[in-house]
Amino acid sequence: MGGVVQRSSRFSELNDDDVKYFQEILGKKNVVQDEDKLSAANIDWMHKYKGSSKILLQPCNTDQVSEILKYCNSRNLAVVPQGGNTGLVGGSVPVFDEVIVSLSSMNKIVSFDKVSGILVCEAGCILENLMSFMDNE
């Protein structure tokens, strides 16, 4: 049943033009290509799964995420979203060389309604921080 997973040939490989485009959208500091910084994003919290992505994008808002995804779709670049990368099943780790889209900069609490108990937050919020916020409420 189990077998070796192979990279699909229908996905494009990242090139210099892609990197330049991402830098135009996000600025150079939010386009990470440093191997040391990428190593943490390429492996899960339990050190069980390891990818080989060559780029980590750090958008600050949903418009940037939308632009990234629209571009990656047009180029057939594979993408993996990543929050805190603390999951136990490896779902946020690239399998091969996917573009990592880190949502960690999108970590604001938008609103909290004390009557209904509804909390609205951005996608990159860390659950532990949300729980601390709720404990104080």
Side-chain angles (χ1 to χ4, degrees):
M1 288 188 29
V4 176
V5 178
Q6 295 188 358
R7 186 183 188 282
S8 174
S9 61
R10 65 188 171 117
F11 292 112
S12 300
E13 291 190 26
L14 187 72
N15 64 39
D16 291 339
D17 290 336
D18 300 325
V19 174
K20 288 177 190 171
Y21 183 81
F22 294 136
Q23 288 174 341
E24 287 174 15
I25 295 172
L26 304 174
K28 288 186 178 186
K29 72 176 184 132
N30 292 320
V31 177
V32 178
Q33 292 185 283
D34 179 73
E35 286 187 33
D36 291 333
K37 292 178 181 175
L38 279 171
S39 64
N42 269 308
I43 194 160
D44 71 309
W45 188 61
M46 300 291 289
H47 298 274
K48 185 175 180 183
Y49 307 103
K50 187 173 186 335
S52 55
S53 178
K54 295 176 179 33
I55 194 165
L56 169 74
L57 306 179
Q58 299 173 309
C60 298
N61 57 57
T62 54
D63 290 337
Q64 290 177 339
V65 173
S66 181
E67 285 298 315
I68 290 165
L69 294 179
K70 188 183 335 177
Y71 179 81
C72 288
N73 186 52
S74 73
R75 284 266 300 116
N76 288 325
L77 292 169
V79 174
V80 63
Q82 200 167 83
N85 201 19
T86 59
L88 300 178
V89 297
S92 65
V93 178
V95 177
F96 299 107
D97 59 348
E98 296 89 345
V99 172
I100 301 171
V101 179
S102 171
L103 303 175
S104 62
S105 295
M106 298 171 59
N107 61 2
K108 294 176 188 68
I109 294 173
V110 177
S111 65
F112 174 63
D113 184 323
K114 292 183 180 186
V115 175
S116 67
I118 295 174
L119 179 122
V120 178
C121 64
E122 294 179 334
C125 285
I126 296 170
L127 185 56
E128 181 180 5
N129 295 345
L130 293 176
M131 292 178 77
S132 289
F133 173 83
M134 294 304 294
D135 286 345
N136 292 327
E137 291 296 320

